[in-house]
Amino acid sequence: MKKQHLPTKMCPICNRPFQWRKKWEKIWEEIKYCSEKCRRHKKQAY
């Protein structure tokens, strides 16, 4: 994969795009949040 062709997703908490990372390779479909901070604050958003 070339860096300019990495998949991206939008974080539902901060509404910012984030890119695929090697450590998420096997679980990319499950990733919803861009960071641990956003994941922790998911309950406050609703």
Coordinates of all heavy atoms in Angstrom, one line a residue:
M1 N 0.8 -1.2 0.0 CA 0.0 0.0 0.0 C 0.9 1.2 0.0 O 1.8 1.4 0.8 CB -0.9 0.0 1.3 CG -2.3 -0.1 1.0 SD -3.3 0.1 2.5 CE -4.2 -1.4 2.3
K2 N 0.5 2.2 -0.9 CA 1.3 3.4 -0.9 C 0.6 4.4 0.1 O -0.6 4.3 0.3 CB 1.3 4.0 -2.3 CG 2.0 3.1 -3.2 CD 2.6 3.9 -4.3 CE 3.4 3.0 -5.2 NZ 4.6 3.5 -5.7
K3 N 1.3 5.3 0.7 CA 0.8 6.2 1.7 C -0.3 7.0 1.2 O -1.3 7.3 1.9 CB 1.9 7.0 2.3 CG 2.8 6.2 3.2 CD 3.7 7.0 4.0 CE 4.5 6.1 5.0 NZ 5.2 6.9 5.9
Q4 N -0.3 7.5 -0.1 CA -1.3 8.3 -0.6 C -2.6 7.6 -0.9 O -3.6 8.2 -1.1 CB -0.9 9.2 -1.8 CG -0.4 8.4 -3.0 CD 1.1 8.2 -3.0 OE1 1.7 7.6 -2.1 NE2 1.7 8.7 -4.0
H5 N -2.6 6.3 -0.8 CA -3.8 5.5 -1.1 C -4.3 4.7 0.1 O -5.0 3.7 -0.1 CB -3.5 4.5 -2.2 CG -3.0 5.1 -3.5 ND1 -3.9 5.9 -4.3 CD2 -1.9 5.2 -4.2 CE1 -3.2 6.4 -5.3 NE2 -2.0 5.9 -5.3
L6 N -4.0 5.2 1.3 CA -4.5 4.5 2.5 C -6.0 4.8 2.7 O -6.5 5.9 2.4 CB -3.7 5.0 3.7 CG -2.3 4.6 3.8 CD1 -1.6 5.3 5.0 CD2 -2.1 3.1 3.8
P7 N -6.8 3.8 3.1 CA -8.2 4.0 3.4 C -8.4 5.0 4.6 O -7.5 5.1 5.5 CB -8.7 2.7 3.7 CG -7.6 1.7 3.6 CD -6.4 2.4 3.3
T8 N -9.5 5.7 4.6 CA -9.8 6.6 5.6 C -11.2 6.4 6.1 O -12.0 5.9 5.4 CB -9.6 8.1 5.2 OG1 -10.5 8.4 4.2 CG2 -8.2 8.4 4.8
K9 N -11.4 6.9 7.4 CA -12.7 6.8 8.0 C -12.9 8.1 8.7 O -11.9 8.8 9.0 CB -12.8 5.7 9.0 CG -12.9 4.3 8.4 CD -13.1 3.3 9.5 CE -13.2 1.9 8.9 NZ -13.4 0.9 9.9
M10 N -14.2 8.5 9.0 CA -14.5 9.6 9.8 C -14.8 9.2 11.2 O -15.6 8.3 11.4 CB -15.7 10.4 9.2 CG -15.4 11.0 7.9 SD -14.2 12.3 8.0 CE -15.1 13.6 8.8
C11 N -14.2 9.9 12.2 CA -14.5 9.6 13.6 C -15.8 10.2 14.0 O -16.1 11.4 13.7 CB -13.4 10.2 14.5 SG -13.6 9.9 16.2
P12 N -16.7 9.4 14.5 CA -18.1 9.9 14.9 C -18.1 10.9 16.1 O -19.0 11.7 16.3 CB -18.9 8.7 15.2 CG -17.9 7.7 15.6 CD -16.6 8.0 14.8
I13 N -17.0 10.9 16.8 CA -16.9 11.8 18.0 C -16.4 13.2 17.6 O -17.0 14.2 17.9 CB -16.1 11.2 19.1 CG1 -16.6 9.8 19.5 CG2 -16.0 12.1 20.3 CD1 -18.0 9.8 20.0
C14 N -15.2 13.2 17.0 CA -14.6 14.5 16.7 C -14.8 14.9 15.3 O -14.4 16.0 14.9 CB -13.1 14.4 17.0 SG -12.1 13.3 16.0
N15 N -15.4 14.1 14.4 CA -15.7 14.4 13.0 C -14.5 14.7 12.2 O -14.5 15.5 11.3 CB -16.7 15.5 12.9 CG -18.1 15.1 13.4 OD1 -18.5 14.0 13.1 ND2 -18.7 15.9 14.2
R16 N -13.4 14.1 12.5 CA -12.1 14.3 11.8 C -11.8 13.0 11.0 O -12.1 11.9 11.6 CB -11.0 14.6 12.7 CG -11.1 16.0 13.3 CD -9.9 16.2 14.2 NE -10.1 17.5 14.8 CZ -9.2 18.0 15.7 NH1 -8.1 17.3 16.0 NH2 -9.4 19.2 16.2
P17 N -11.2 13.1 9.9 CA -10.8 11.8 9.2 C -9.5 11.2 9.8 O -8.7 11.9 10.3 CB -10.5 12.3 7.8 CG -10.2 13.8 7.9 CD -11.0 14.3 9.1
F18 N -9.5 9.9 9.8 CA -8.3 9.2 10.2 C -7.9 8.1 9.2 O -8.8 7.6 8.6 CB -8.4 8.7 11.7 CG -9.5 7.7 11.9 CD1 -9.1 6.3 11.9 CD2 -10.8 8.1 12.1 CE1 -10.1 5.4 12.1 CE2 -11.7 7.1 12.3 CZ -11.4 5.8 12.4
Q19 N -6.7 7.8 9.1 CA -6.2 6.9 8.1 C -5.9 5.5 8.7 O -5.6 5.4 9.9 CB -4.9 7.4 7.4 CG -5.2 8.6 6.5 CD -4.0 8.9 5.8 OE1 -2.8 8.7 6.2 NE2 -4.2 9.5 4.6
W20 N -5.9 4.6 7.8 CA -5.5 3.2 8.2 C -4.1 3.1 8.8 O -3.2 3.9 8.3 CB -5.6 2.4 6.9 CG -5.2 0.9 6.9 CD1 -6.1 -0.1 7.1 CD2 -3.9 0.3 6.8 NE1 -5.4 -1.3 7.1 CE2 -4.1 -1.0 6.9 CE3 -2.6 0.9 6.6 CZ2 -3.0 -1.9 6.8 CZ3 -1.6 0.0 6.5 CH2 -1.8 -1.4 6.6
R21 N -3.9 2.3 9.7 CA -2.6 2.1 10.3 C -2.3 0.6 10.3 O -3.1 -0.3 10.4 CB -2.6 2.5 11.8 CG -2.8 4.0 11.9 CD -2.7 4.4 13.3 NE -3.0 5.8 13.5 CZ -3.2 6.4 14.6 NH1 -3.0 5.8 15.7 NH2 -3.5 7.7 14.6
K22 N -1.0 0.3 10.2 CA -0.5 -1.1 10.1 C -1.0 -1.9 11.3 O -1.5 -3.0 11.1 CB 1.0 -1.1 10.1 CG 1.6 -2.5 10.0 CD 1.3 -3.2 8.7 CE 2.1 -4.5 8.6 NZ 1.7 -5.3 7.5
K23 N -1.1 -1.3 12.5 CA -1.5 -2.1 13.6 C -3.0 -2.4 13.6 O -3.5 -3.3 14.3 CB -1.2 -1.3 14.9 CG -2.0 -0.1 15.2 CD -1.5 0.6 16.5 CE -2.3 1.8 16.7 NZ -2.0 2.4 18.0
W24 N -3.8 -1.7 12.7 CA -5.2 -2.0 12.6 C -5.5 -2.9 11.4 O -6.6 -3.1 11.0 CB -6.0 -0.7 12.4 CG -6.0 0.2 13.6 CD1 -5.8 -0.1 14.9 CD2 -6.2 1.6 13.6 NE1 -5.9 1.0 15.7 CE2 -6.1 2.1 14.9 CE3 -6.5 2.5 12.6 CZ2 -6.3 3.4 15.2 CZ3 -6.6 3.9 12.9 CH2 -6.6 4.3 14.2
E25 N -4.5 -3.4 10.8 CA -4.6 -4.2 9.5 C -5.7 -5.2 9.6 O -6.5 -5.4 8.7 CB -3.3 -4.8 9.1 CG -3.3 -5.5 7.8 CD -1.9 -6.0 7.4 OE1 -1.0 -6.1 8.3 OE2 -1.7 -6.2 6.2
K26 N -5.7 -6.0 10.6 CA -6.6 -7.2 10.7 C -8.0 -6.8 11.3 O -8.9 -7.5 11.1 CB -6.0 -8.3 11.6 CG -4.8 -8.9 10.9 CD -4.2 -10.0 11.8 CE -2.9 -10.5 11.1 NZ -2.3 -11.5 11.9
I27 N -8.1 -5.6 11.9 CA -9.3 -5.2 12.5 C -9.9 -3.9 12.0 O -10.7 -3.3 12.6 CB -9.2 -5.1 14.0 CG1 -8.1 -4.1 14.4 CG2 -8.9 -6.5 14.6 CD1 -8.0 -3.8 15.9
W28 N -9.5 -3.5 10.8 CA -9.8 -2.2 10.2 C -11.4 -2.1 10.2 O -11.9 -1.0 10.4 CB -9.2 -2.0 8.9 CG -9.6 -0.8 8.2 CD1 -10.3 -0.7 7.0 CD2 -9.4 0.6 8.6 NE1 -10.5 0.7 6.7 CE2 -9.9 1.5 7.6 CE3 -8.7 1.2 9.7 CZ2 -9.8 2.8 7.7 CZ3 -8.6 2.5 9.7 CH2 -9.2 3.4 8.8
E29 N -12.1 -3.1 9.8 CA -13.6 -3.0 9.7 C -14.2 -2.7 11.1 O -15.3 -2.2 11.2 CB -14.1 -4.3 9.2 CG -13.7 -4.6 7.7 CD -14.1 -3.5 6.8 OE1 -15.2 -3.0 6.9 OE2 -13.2 -3.1 5.9
E30 N -13.5 -3.1 12.2 CA -14.1 -2.9 13.5 C -13.7 -1.5 14.1 O -14.4 -1.1 15.1 CB -13.5 -3.9 14.5 CG -13.9 -5.4 14.0 CD -13.1 -6.4 14.8 OE1 -12.6 -6.1 15.9 OE2 -13.1 -7.5 14.4
I31 N -12.7 -0.8 13.6 CA -12.3 0.5 14.1 C -13.3 1.5 13.8 O -13.8 1.7 12.7 CB -10.9 0.9 13.5 CG1 -9.9 -0.2 13.7 CG2 -10.5 2.3 13.9 CD1 -9.5 -0.3 15.2
K32 N -13.8 2.2 14.9 CA -14.8 3.3 14.7 C -14.2 4.7 15.1 O -14.7 5.7 14.7 CB -16.0 3.0 15.6 CG -16.7 1.7 15.2 CD -17.8 1.5 16.1 CE -18.5 0.1 15.7 NZ -19.5 -0.2 16.7
Y33 N -13.3 4.7 16.0 CA -12.8 5.9 16.6 C -11.3 6.2 16.2 O -10.5 5.2 16.1 CB -13.0 5.9 18.1 CG -14.4 5.5 18.5 CD1 -14.7 4.3 19.0 CD2 -15.4 6.5 18.4 CE1 -16.0 3.9 19.3 CE2 -16.7 6.1 18.7 CZ -17.0 4.9 19.2 OH -18.3 4.5 19.5
C34 N -11.0 7.4 16.1 CA -9.6 7.8 15.7 C -8.6 7.6 16.8 O -7.4 7.5 16.5 CB -9.6 9.2 15.2 SG -10.0 10.4 16.4
S35 N -9.0 7.7 18.0 CA -8.1 7.6 19.1 C -8.7 7.0 20.4 O -9.9 6.8 20.4 CB -7.6 9.0 19.5 OG -8.7 9.8 20.0
E36 N -7.9 6.7 21.3 CA -8.3 6.2 22.6 C -9.2 7.2 23.3 O -10.2 6.9 24.0 CB -7.2 5.8 23.5 CG -7.5 5.1 24.7 CD -8.2 3.7 24.5 OE1 -7.9 3.1 23.5 OE2 -8.9 3.3 25.4
K37 N -8.8 8.5 23.2 CA -9.6 9.6 23.8 C -11.0 9.6 23.3 O -12.0 9.8 24.0 CB -8.9 10.9 23.5 CG -9.5 12.1 24.2 CD -8.8 13.4 23.9 CE -9.5 14.6 24.4 NZ -8.8 15.8 24.1
C38 N -11.2 9.5 22.0 CA -12.5 9.5 21.4 C -13.3 8.3 21.8 O -14.5 8.4 22.0 CB -12.4 9.7 19.9 SG -12.1 11.3 19.3
R39 N -12.6 7.2 21.8 CA -13.3 6.0 22.2 C -13.8 6.1 23.7 O -15.0 5.7 24.0 CB -12.4 4.7 22.1 CG -13.1 3.4 22.3 CD -12.1 2.3 22.4 NE -11.3 2.3 23.5 CZ -11.6 1.9 24.8 NH1 -12.8 1.5 25.0 NH2 -10.7 2.0 25.7
R40 N -13.1 6.7 24.6 CA -13.5 6.9 25.9 C -14.7 7.8 26.1 O -15.4 7.7 27.0 CB -12.3 7.4 26.8 CG -11.5 6.2 27.3 CD -10.4 6.7 28.3 NE -9.2 6.8 27.6 CZ -8.4 7.9 27.5 NH1 -8.7 8.9 28.2 NH2 -7.3 7.8 26.8
H41 N -14.7 8.8 25.2 CA -15.8 9.8 25.2 C -17.0 9.5 24.4 O -17.9 10.3 24.2 CB -15.2 11.2 24.8 CG -14.3 11.7 25.8 ND1 -12.9 11.5 25.7 CD2 -14.5 12.5 26.9 CE1 -12.3 12.1 26.8 NE2 -13.3 12.7 27.5
K42 N -17.1 8.3 23.9 CA -18.2 7.9 23.1 C -19.6 8.0 23.8 O -20.6 8.4 23.2 CB -18.1 6.5 22.5 CG -18.1 5.4 23.5 CD -17.8 4.1 22.9 CE -17.6 3.0 23.9 NZ -17.2 1.8 23.4
K43 N -19.7 7.8 25.0 CA -20.9 7.8 25.8 C -21.4 9.3 26.0 O -22.6 9.6 26.1 CB -20.8 7.1 27.1 CG -20.6 5.6 27.0 CD -20.5 5.0 28.3 CE -20.2 3.5 28.1 NZ -19.9 2.8 29.3
Q44 N -20.4 10.2 26.1 CA -20.8 11.6 26.3 C -21.4 12.2 25.0 O -22.0 13.3 25.1 CB -19.6 12.4 26.7 CG -19.1 12.0 28.1 CD -17.8 12.7 28.5 OE1 -17.2 13.4 27.7 NE2 -17.3 12.4 29.7
A45 N -21.1 11.7 23.9 CA -21.5 12.3 22.6 C -23.0 12.1 22.4 O -23.6 12.8 21.6 CB -20.7 11.7 21.5
Y46 N -23.6 11.1 23.0 CA -25.0 10.8 22.8 C -25.9 11.1 24.0 O -25.8 11.3 25.0 CB -25.2 9.3 22.5 CG -24.4 8.9 21.2 CD1 -23.3 8.2 21.3 CD2 -24.9 9.2 20.0 CE1 -22.6 7.8 20.2 CE2 -24.2 8.9 18.9 CZ -23.1 8.2 19.0 OH -22.4 7.8 17.8

